[in-house]
Amino acid sequence: METYVGSVSRGAWRRWSIVASGTALLCALPAVIAVLPVSASPISAPALRARILASARVPYQGYAESTVNLGLPLLPGLHNVSLLLDGTTDQYVWYRSPSYWRADDVTGTGESDTYADGGVTYLWNYGTNLLTQVTGAEPVRLPRAPDLLPPALARRLLDTAGRADRISRLPGRRIAGVDTAGLRLVPAGTSTTIGAVDIWADPVSGLPLEVEITGRGTTQPVLISTFLELSRAQPDLAAVIPHPAPNVGLTTTRLPNVDGVLNSDGDGDGDTTPFPPQLGGLRRVVLPGSPSGVAIYGTGFSRFVLLPLPRGVGTDALNAAIQAGAGSVPLSGTGGSQAGTQAGVLIRTPLLSVLLVRGGFHHAVFLFTGAVTPALLASSASALVTDLSHRPRFR
Amino acid sequence: MIRVELVKLARRPRSWVSLVLLCGLPVLVAVFVAVTHLAPPPGQGPALLSAVLSSGSLYPAAALAIVLPIFLPVAVAVVAGDSIAGEAGSGTLRYLLARPVGRTRLLAAKLVALVVYTLSAVILVAVTAYLTGIALFGAQPVAATAGGLTTSNIAATSLSGSGLSPADIALRTIGAVAFIAVSMLGVGAIALFLSTITDSALGAALGALAALITSEVLVTLNAASAVNPYLPTRYWLAWIDFFRDPIVWRNIERGFAVQGVYVLVFLAASWAHFATKDITS
Amino acid sequence: MIVTRGLTKRYGPLLVVDQVDLDVREGDRYGFLGPNGSGKTTVVRMLLGLVYATSGDITVLGQPVPKQVGKVLPSIGSLVEGPSAYGHLSGRANLALMDAAGKSGARRTRRSRIAATLDRVGLGGIDNRPVKRYSLGMRQRLGLAAALLRTPKLLILDEPTNGLDPQGIREIRDLLIELNAAGTTVFLSSHQLSEVEQLCTRVGIVDRGRLVRQDDLETLRALTGRSIVRTPDADRARELLDGQIELAQAGRLVIADADTAALNSRLVAHGVRVTGIEAERRSLEDVVLSVTGSGSDRVDVQDGDRP
């Protein structure tokens, strides 16, 4: 005869085992999906690279998450960029074609959207309740959230790469349900801080789905941008153009006014700054239509930006950097009577280096930044300061 | 048994006091905002609160945002934590079970009462907030008449800057109400489980709130990103996605799924534990 | 009605109920007697399926418990460790909720059934005040009402007269006897000797988790074979019955002779005035003390613990 005691404890055991196995099953589900084998694509590295570069016309819509851990201090006037380069950015994107797409940078309480509507860019900010139409070409501008989207970032990085940079294949990954093929790009130059750029793309369409950037000499990626959800359906045209509500503010502006610190006239005094043609061994590159207040030096991954900051912004930035614990670097070779006074303020991050230095007749603040070694920025800054000190009439 | 539990819930003064407090806070906020015309800047403070000055029809959503972080979870955790532990504490649990009420049936009835309470709390907040919003802020945006556009059917602005018709807002608010109610059920399930373990209703409620706070801390922690998608509060704020245009479903779907898993797991654990527990209270 | 075999309950290392073999028969007024902490309440909870035994079997009303406890509970009224109710509701509302929970009688008759039951326990005229304003005795009566709501075949009552005044205790006792006469078996767990002695027909004595004695009250209170004589002429009686007197104190003599009638006539014949004579019976207290140790709420220093 069955005793009830047995049946009770057996019942408890049975109940708990049902609950435990059900819970384990639910918890294991994501892990199981993650370890399902990814079909390996036989595509070669150069072919994959070519396919990625040619993928700009592939339509998609999805949800991307970009995480950057640079540890940059918040610099005045560069607030938005600092937020972008430190932390997680969530974006919904509808990409119809290179000139018609929309990306929503969403937060818990609002969103800022970027629309590419033909040749026009619209920026919507829920916080200011303002839809801004940006006119004019924008070859040089501060980074915006859509720049972090895997397709845009991957194509930009591959575009930047030169012949000397080595590419190789990586094992595939399943990203947002797509079996992707991996591509590793290792920059050749010694002056860049980028150790490796890893891209995973759909081997068929070439659409990049994940990008990881690792600093030189480190193993942990500094930047990870990946799709959490992706659909290859082409979004409707109506979905990628703005439909402002009647009470939304509308404004039209030129790009430099959007980015604030990128004022077109150097240090804000109406000066036309003659940038030296060469700094730190890198030649200045002039892009057509770029604002005169910004200079770009170098090619490929060995490239940095020189930006004279408007007077107020410059001093604030310098103070903020010092308060954030930025180190001081002596600038060598300045010579002359100013030798003792010249020192740069350097912010080191695993990827990006930022150097601020005061110089010139007006003691303007110059900002050097790029994914290059601090040494390169220091020698460039030394060269600039020397150059300015030799031209006391520099205005 | 379900009717018995509903009667108990309804005849409990505490249920009504908590509902009044829940509905009172948004009314209070609305009165202050309406009197001073000082809404927090957009993107700061409770979501959507900045928008209500121009349109009261968004106030139900803003009110939900106000009660979501603390008030609502506390109310739900207290009711859920009380469900079994409260009966144990007052000594009525043994009489209910000896009545007899099957243990699984008692648990199911408690769950139904909890669902009813949660739903009515969220719906009541939305309804009172709607009435308050219309009364204090009006239904039309202030600038709606600007321009030559037909503005008669635009009642508010979405987060994406597009206009929303009253029907649109109603549907989206219903979606948000459903989402928030389901989010609260996750807390409720945790509290219900703890309620079967301890004989102290307060302990069960506090335990569930402790779990929530842990989850909220971990959500913001980069180092805990590996467990982030599985945390109960991870997708709590996704209800705001109902007020984007178009509605982006990804996080909403995930939110429903995560809460569903929490409800399922903790209910199953409650059942497994309670069905063979020695009732010594 | 209730049969247990080898019923044992452990809480971790603590043995609370140890090999209890209860046998409660139909029509009994069974007194389950034991000091506080002797495991009575745990046994009661196991009978009701609230606590699960570690080992052993329980049969209540012919059904195995807890396996078929759902079948037997509707025929059982119970009061476990004091009454409980929702304090913010009135007594009537509490009974209505209790009645509606579980397999209840018809809804239509609920009101009249509740009124009748309240009448029965002496709360017929109660107003609508919330239970939290009831006195302890009123709560006890309300708890009894809840137990009686469905005219049970078996009443399992744990300390039902707690908090009642002597008048109330008497009322409840009469009520239980009346119910028993109408066919309800009563299982009463108590630590009060007098309560059991006055009400019960059958007694089980429990001590430290073990059932140490279980028998009809009459059997337990067997004649001792002695007689007790009260007389103002104690000295004369002593002379007469020399050697038979076991104890003499202030006019009360304990005599080793079971035949009270013969003893009486013999005393009277010899001119000893007898004011009272009766055959001596064992008191329940004697029985309990002879089979149990000190209560478990007393904690003595063990020899080994002394320094």
Side-chain angles (χ1 to χ4, degrees):
Chain A
M1 185 190 130
E2 179 185 70
T3 67
Y4 76 85
V5 172
S7 76
V8 166
S9 57
R10 202 160 45 243
W13 194 88
R14 202 185 62 224
R15 283 188 177 89
W16 274 114
S17 53
I18 291 172
V19 172
S21 50
T23 308
L25 193 75
L26 284 169
C27 293
L29 216 57
V32 168
I33 292 171
V35 298
L36 284 179
V38 178
S39 63
S41 166
I43 193 167
S44 72
L48 184 58
R49 176 197 145 108
R51 220 166 265 189
I52 292 172
L53 282 171
S55 68
R57 305 207 67 84
V58 179
Y60 63 88
Q61 44 189 312
Y63 177 58
E65 187 177 79
S66 315
T67 305
V68 193
N69 290 310
L70 283 188
L72 272 180
L74 281 180
L75 295 180
L78 293 166
H79 194 84
N80 288 341
V81 181
S82 309
L83 289 181
L84 203 59
L85 297 184
D86 251 309
T88 299
T89 306
D90 289 308
Q91 293 183 80
Y92 289 99
V93 58
W94 294 264
Y95 188 90
R96 191 175 153 84
S97 69
S99 45
Y100 286 96
W101 54 263
R102 163 183 174 185
D104 294 3
D105 173 6
V106 298
T107 66
T109 53
E111 61 183 68
S112 11
D113 306 349
T114 308
Y115 294 88
D117 182 5
V120 187
T121 301
Y122 288 96
L123 302 175
W124 157 254
N125 190 317
Y126 176 72
T128 54
N129 195 33
L130 205 61
L131 185 68
T132 307
Q133 182 185 355
V134 183
T135 57
E138 34 179 18
V140 177
R141 56 168 174 78
L142 293 182
R144 285 188 202 132
D147 298 332
L148 290 177
L149 290 170
L153 187 60
R155 288 195 290 261
R156 179 183 291 261
L157 288 165
L158 286 185
D159 228 11
T160 307
R163 283 180 194 285
D165 301 327
R166 282 175 293 118
I167 55 170
S168 57
R169 280 292 314 276
L170 286 173
R173 279 185 184 180
R174 181 176 296 101
I175 299 156
V178 180
D179 286 357
T180 61
L183 181 73
R184 167 161 288 188
L185 170 70
V186 179
T190 54
S191 51
T192 177
T193 51
I194 295 178
V197 173
D198 296 342
I199 298 169
W200 284 269
D202 176 11
V204 181
S205 66
L207 184 70
L209 270 69
E210 181 164 308
V211 177
E212 289 185 4
I213 303 180
T214 312
R216 190 167 290 239
T218 61
T219 52
Q220 201 72 25
V222 180
L223 179 150
I224 301 174
S225 185
T226 184
F227 276 111
L228 298 177
E229 197 172 73
L230 184 76
S231 148
R232 235 69 72 76
Q234 185 176 39
D236 291 335
L237 187 60
V240 298
I241 53 176
H243 303 278
N247 64 333
V248 161
L250 298 168
T251 169
T252 303
T253 184
R254 290 182 60 225
L255 180 77
N257 297 336
V258 178
D259 282 343
V261 295
L262 292 182
N263 57 0
S264 52
D265 15 312
D267 62 8
D269 288 349
D271 296 345
T272 313
T273 314
F275 293 106
Q278 189 169 344
L279 279 180
L282 300 178
R283 303 188 66 78
R284 181 174 176 202
V285 184
V286 180
L287 299 173
S290 71
S292 56
V294 186
I296 300 167
Y297 290 86
T299 56
F301 290 104
S302 304
R303 167 179 277 193
F304 67 85
V305 173
L306 169 54
L307 179 69
L309 296 176
R311 180 151 298 163
V313 174
T315 308
D316 288 349
L318 211 53
N319 290 337
I322 291 167
Q323 269 170 22
S328 171
V329 281
L331 300 181
S332 59
T334 49
S337 59
Q338 288 177 324
T341 64
Q342 293 304 320
V345 173
L346 177 73
I347 303 164
R348 282 167 196 270
T349 76
L351 201 61
L352 211 61
S353 306
V354 180
L355 192 145
L356 293 155
V357 67
R358 223 182 250 289
F361 188 69
H362 291 292
H363 295 285
V365 174
F366 294 87
L367 184 149
F368 294 76
T369 186
V372 291
T373 56
L376 175 66
L377 290 189
S379 68
S380 305
S382 301
L384 177 74
V385 170
T386 310
D387 185 68
L388 294 177
S389 65
H390 290 161
R391 289 191 285 157
R393 296 292 304 150
F394 171 56
R395 283 186 57 81
Chain B
M1 192 59 213
I2 287 170
R3 188 167 49 224
V4 172
E5 285 306 323
L6 291 180
V7 168
K8 274 193 227 164
L9 185 70
R11 298 197 61 172
R12 189 135 209 183
R14 195 182 59 198
S15 318
W16 297 104
V17 172
S18 65
L19 287 181
V20 167
L21 284 178
L22 271 177
C23 296
L25 178 66
V27 172
L28 187 72
V29 170
V31 168
F32 272 112
V33 170
V35 168
T36 61
H37 269 265
L38 280 175
Q44 290 175 35
L48 291 179
L49 191 53
S50 57
V52 302
L53 269 184
S54 58
S55 172
S57 54
L58 278 180
Y59 197 59
L64 289 174
I66 291 169
V67 296
L68 178 64
I70 299 172
F71 261 49
L72 208 47
V74 167
V76 171
V78 166
V79 170
D82 190 58
S83 45
I84 300 293
E87 301 273 7
S90 72
T92 42
L93 179 59
R94 55 178 184 263
Y95 290 113
L96 276 179
L97 295 183
R99 202 66 227 155
V101 179
R103 297 186 178 201
T104 308
R105 244 179 93 214
L106 179 63
L107 211 55
K110 291 288 184 189
L111 178 72
V112 171
L114 178 64
V115 170
V116 168
Y117 175 80
T118 309
L119 263 179
S120 32
V122 180
I123 290 172
L124 267 178
V125 166
V127 169
T128 49
Y130 178 76
L131 298 176
T132 316
I134 296 299
L136 293 177
F137 306 110
Q140 296 286 319
V142 171
T145 49
L149 292 154
T150 316
T151 58
S152 56
N153 64 342
I154 301 291
T157 311
S158 73
L159 259 58
S160 308
S162 59
L164 298 175
S165 72
D168 239 357
I169 293 176
L171 282 177
R172 286 160 191 258
T173 306
I174 290 171
V177 161
F179 184 82
I180 288 173
V182 170
S183 301
M184 287 305 121
L185 284 184
V187 192
I190 296 175
L192 188 62
F193 171 62
L194 293 176
S195 182
T196 64
I197 287 184
T198 170
D199 285 349
S200 152
L202 191 66
L206 288 180
L209 291 177
L212 275 198
I213 291 168
T214 310
S215 162
E216 277 177 8
V217 167
L218 291 184
V219 161
T220 59
L221 197 67
N222 264 344
S225 58
V227 296
N228 195 316
Y230 309 106
L231 294 172
T233 61
R234 165 63 181 85
Y235 295 103
W236 267 24
L237 299 179
W239 64 270
I240 194 95
D241 290 354
F242 278 108
F243 295 91
R244 304 189 194 279
D245 192 27
I247 297 173
V248 282
W249 291 100
R250 195 255 178 191
N251 284 350
I252 294 173
E253 286 162 2
R254 294 265 168 147
F256 274 122
V258 166
Q259 295 303 328
V261 169
Y262 269 93
V263 169
L264 209 67
V265 165
F266 278 95
L267 279 186
S270 313
W271 167 74
H273 180 248
F274 188 57
T276 46
K277 185 193 180 187
D278 282 342
I279 307 300
T280 54
S281 63
Chain C
M1 295 298 265
I2 302 174
V3 179
T4 69
R5 275 208 338 251
L7 189 60
T8 301
K9 178 67 184 177
R10 283 174 189 281
Y11 287 116
L14 196 66
L15 188 59
V16 182
V17 175
D18 184 12
Q19 297 286 335
V20 167
D21 298 332
L22 280 180
D23 179 22
V24 179
R25 294 171 303 209
E26 188 159 2
D28 274 352
R29 296 199 297 269
Y30 188 99
F32 194 46
L33 186 63
N36 286 323
S38 55
K40 294 191 305 287
T41 301
T42 304
V43 169
V44 167
R45 284 175 183 273
M46 286 194 282
L47 296 181
L48 295 172
L50 295 173
V51 165
Y52 296 111
T54 309
S55 64
D57 294 301
I58 305 174
T59 312
V60 176
L61 296 169
Q63 298 285 349
V65 168
K67 206 169 185 183
Q68 301 291 342
V69 75
K71 280 191 189 158
V72 297
L73 282 176
S75 316
I76 301 177
S78 59
L79 189 63
V80 187
E81 255 190 306
S84 304
Y86 303 105
H88 59 285
L89 297 176
S90 71
R92 276 198 182 79
N94 264 293
L95 290 183
L97 280 178
M98 273 295 165
D99 191 56
K103 294 187 187 87
S104 58
R107 240 180 130 192
R108 281 178 293 112
T109 62
R110 185 171 296 153
R111 188 181 287 268
S112 59
R113 274 182 296 136
I114 288 172
T117 317
L118 282 174
D119 240 8
R120 214 164 193 187
V121 298
L123 288 176
I126 193 75
D127 51 22
N128 272 332
R129 80 182 92 166
V131 171
K132 64 183 167 206
R133 300 228 305 272
Y134 278 28
S135 68
L136 191 55
M138 288 164 80
R139 286 177 201 217
Q140 199 72 34
R141 286 167 192 260
L142 183 65
L144 260 176
L148 295 176
L149 203 51
R150 276 183 309 207
T151 49
K153 276 193 237 162
L154 171 64
L155 263 178
I156 297 182
L157 306 173
D158 192 9
E159 312 278 359
T161 54
N162 249 357
L164 292 178
D165 49 29
Q167 191 67 37
I169 292 177
R170 176 70 172 272
E171 269 178 49
I172 298 301
R173 192 193 310 143
D174 291 347
L175 173 64
L176 291 181
I177 290 172
E178 181 196 326
L179 285 166
N180 181 245
T184 303
T185 305
V186 176
F187 179 93
L188 176 122
S189 143
S190 178
H191 69 278
Q192 284 173 323
L193 279 161
S194 60
E195 188 175 325
V196 171
E197 198 161 21
Q198 288 172 48
L199 176 71
C200 296
T201 57
R202 203 168 142 77
V203 178
I205 300 168
V206 66
D207 178 42
R208 290 176 228 187
R210 297 172 58 92
L211 188 69
V212 288
R213 192 79 196 264
Q214 174 176 252
D215 222 326
D216 288 343
L217 186 67
E218 283 307 309
T219 315
L220 290 174
R221 297 191 53 197
L223 299 172
T224 55
R226 290 175 293 201
S227 299
I228 296 171
V229 174
R230 287 172 204 282
T231 169
D233 311 322
D235 293 342
R236 292 204 53 187
R238 206 175 247 185
E239 282 169 27
L240 188 70
L241 302 168
D242 191 30
Q244 277 184 290
I245 294 181
E246 294 188 347
L247 186 71
Q249 47 178 193
R252 181 174 178 271
L253 306 174
V254 179
I255 297 155
D257 186 344
D259 191 348
T260 44
L263 185 63
N264 189 25
S265 58
R266 188 174 163 207
L267 285 168
V268 172
H270 286 81
V272 177
R273 291 172 295 172
V274 176
T275 53
I277 182 162
E278 58 178 324
E280 190 196 54
R281 283 180 178 274
R282 296 177 69 194
S283 75
L284 190 55
E285 186 175 0
D286 294 336
V287 179
V288 169
L289 290 178
S290 70
V291 294
T292 63
S294 59
S296 69
D297 49 2
R298 180 178 170 130
V299 182
D300 288 320
V301 180
Q302 308 238 312
D303 276 350
D305 293 343
R306 286 187 203 277

